[in-house]
Amino acid sequence: MKVAAILALRVFVAISLLGVTVCRASHGTGPSPDAHESSNATNVSCTGVGSYRVATSAVGPTPGLPQSAKGASFTPAVGLAGTDVGSAVPTVSPVLWANEPKPSIDESFKRLAMGEQITFRGYSLTISSICADSAQFELVSQQE
């Protein structure tokens, strides 16, 4: 439970630092689910393709990245600070971190477009889908 609280706090801090507007589930207000689905349907970057998915409302990815040979605490977690599907070039802003090695330092990647590749502690990921409230990516390589 303590680890989950720490991860949630890291995502919150990263979102605050980035100044990115985050989509969140509505509770009786905002667009209906049908409106949300239609906005993703008109977004050509929302391909639904990618082995790993992360949503703005959760720490992920789902499924988790392959465990580092150094142990689970070295394996990166991914959070999603936000997406911008309304711009001419849709973008996503992921945040990655791992508990080890200490000190644990988050790395924010701002406004990545489809096909862009990022590297964090030996894991290389390529953005393959950008939706209104989620993103998907492929694991390109994992160095150990």
Side-chain angles (χ1 to χ4, degrees):
M1 189 60 143
K2 183 179 177 183
V3 172
I6 292 170
L7 295 177
L9 179 61
R10 286 182 175 178
V11 171
F12 175 76
V13 169
I15 291 168
S16 298
L17 291 174
L18 288 173
V20 177
T21 301
V22 177
C23 299
R24 61 183 174 141
S26 63
H27 298 285
T29 61
S32 68
D34 292 336
H36 174 72
E37 289 174 17
S38 66
S39 74
N40 277 340
T42 59
N43 172 12
V44 296
S45 68
C46 188
T47 63
V49 174
S51 299
Y52 301 90
R53 181 180 186 277
V54 65
T56 54
S57 60
V59 173
T62 303
L65 291 171
Q67 184 171 311
S68 168
K70 297 176 183 177
S73 61
F74 286 82
T75 305
V78 182
L80 189 58
T83 61
D84 182 1
V85 296
S87 63
V89 176
T91 60
V92 61
S93 297
V95 179
L96 285 85
W97 67 92
N99 293 329
E100 296 288 341
K102 298 287 185 200
S104 175
I105 298 173
D106 301 351
E107 189 164 346
S108 300
F109 298 88
K110 297 179 183 177
R111 305 188 59 79
L112 301 174
M114 292 274 293
E116 286 195 66
Q117 185 171 324
I118 57 176
T119 300
F120 178 80
R121 296 189 180 177
Y123 287 74
S124 293
L125 313 171
T126 299
I127 307 301
S128 56
S129 180
I130 302 171
C131 301
D133 60 355
S134 65
Q136 289 177 254
F137 57 90
E138 295 293 344
L139 176 63
V140 177
S141 65
Q142 174 188 353
Q143 296 176 347
E144 295 290 312

